[in-house]
Amino acid sequence: MSQPEPTAENAFPITPRNRVRRRPARGFYDRTNVHRILDAAMVCHIAYAIDGQPYCTPTAFWREGDHLYWHGSSASRMLRAEAKGIPVCLTVTHMDAIVLARCGFNHSINYRAVMAFGRAHRIEGTEEKLRAMDAFIDRFFPGRSKVLRPPSPQEIKATAILGMEIEDASAKIRAMDVHDEEADYAVPAWTALIPVAQVLGAPVECPRQHPDADRAAGGMAGYQAGRRLDEVMTEMAGLAYPNLAYPE
Amino acid sequence: MSQPEPTAENAFPITPRNRVRRRPARGFYDRTNVHRILDAAMVCHIAYAIDGQPYCTPTAFWREGDHLYWHGSSASRMLRAEAKGIPVCLTVTHMDAIVLARCGFNHSINYRAVMAFGRAHRIEGTEEKLRAMDAFIDRFFPGRSKVLRPPSPQEIKATAILGMEIEDASAKIRAMDVHDEEADYAVPAWTALIPVAQVLGAPVECPRQHPDADRAAGGMAGYQAGRRLDEVMTEMAGLAYPNLAYPE
């Protein structure tokens, strides 16, 4: 296990808000590391403030180039506020391991995280919303939008899609083994790295499954029990966007 | 699978910031549901704003009653700003399942989430910081602080501990099976609920493990490969705080 290499080219600008100040050696600004971490996730947390009050909301999201999208009811407070173009910070975190040590100070967590900064805008227009709604489905389940009942006019109206161009972003990665001060190896505390991963369980099929339902037709073939969600997400992004490559 | 029952007693006040507006039937304000969700997590996301710019930072945290604690380097921007008492929103999210449906609109995620609101303050004083640093270790690994090399004066100085009294909070829970409009059951899309959970892997022991290291002595016995992290976290909270009960 070791820290990834930053790719020097195609990096986001380093600004006062995305610069990694605490443990800067864990900071990465290249699109390869940032995009990889984003594409391995289904859910992010979005911070925004209304009248000085911060909110932190979990939501599913997806990426197209440097553009991030998420959705919600048109009625939600977050989307109402963000449609005005308020600044947001969209964060993705993968927890990879609990890292024990021989003193409290050196206990840690292995993780891959991205903080992406920009201004949310609302996707307007029926055509563009329909495209985004299908893209939302197909990013996670490539081709599935084709086997679903299409969105109704009421559903399109009731769905708000928000987008954000990433203005600047940084990744922060800890991928290291147990590390202790030399003198502390004499302390007889049991010490290990304990891996953690989001893992898929066995599907619970709908009891009203249609007799002609074909799992392979809807982009679900990769969702096998026991697989890591981050690996499935990365695989699905590659299927949904066949030209996707890191670095892009 | 079904939605949990709210416990009517011992609820947080419902305020403009914690009221669940979107899908209010999924909202809970009672301490039983809020505390349970918090105690099942090791990592949260904290939203705060500096000069109008929101940030969303992942970090380990723990709960004592209605007080939440987290830590970081004294040098970190987040902690410098929060020590002044700025408002924060601390969010915990457990993703439990991907929920497929026969139209895009009814696709969903099963989750348990809490948004907790308050003002962060810095824990001051060597004694109180030491207590908090040991509590941080022992909440996750009950009794482990006793088998570690104690914090050094420099480590205490370099560690900032922040705390926040929960002023108001809400839980939002979706724990439901596939749900489609009646007419859509004729659509032959393969449909299921796909469980997702954070699961522990087999520990990678430190290659310099001390020959006298005793796993049982450091509160690590519960961290068995294949277990769900949320269940281990709940178990550890019960060991660390033997008087813990829901509702409290």
Side-chain angles (χ1 to χ4, degrees), chain A residues 105, chain B residues 74 125-126 129-130 133 151-160:
Chain A
F105 197 76
Chain B
S74 298
T126 303
K129 278 176 80 173
L130 251 176
M133 288 166 79
S152 70
Q154 302 97 294
E155 288 171 349
I156 299 169
K157 204 173 161 189
T159 303

Side-chain angles (χ1 to χ4, degrees), chain B residues 10-102:
Chain B
N10 209 3
F12 288 103
I14 300 177
T15 72
R17 65 182 177 185
N18 77 331
R19 186 160 62 83
V20 176
R21 289 155 206 247
R22 185 174 173 223
R23 301 197 183 273
R26 297 182 187 169
F28 298 86
Y29 304 92
D30 58 300
R31 281 176 170 76
T32 296
N33 277 300
V34 168
H35 287 177
R36 267 187 206 281
I37 290 169
L38 292 171
D39 290 353
M42 181 176 272
V43 170
C44 67
H45 286 77
I46 298 180
Y48 58 101
I50 302 177
D51 299 332
Q53 172 64 54
Y55 295 88
C56 179
T57 303
T59 191
F61 81 104
W62 78 102
R63 179 182 75 85
E64 296 178 9
D66 274 347
H67 221 83
L68 304 177
Y69 293 91
W70 62 100
H71 92 132
S73 156
S74 298
S76 92
R77 166 182 56 194
M78 175 174 98
L79 294 168
R80 274 205 311 272
E82 287 172 357
K84 295 176 194 159
I86 63 171
V88 298
C89 172
L90 186 152
T91 296
V92 160
T93 306
H94 303 283
M95 180 178 174
D96 290 328
I98 300 164
V99 184
L100 304 173
R102 294 165 180 88

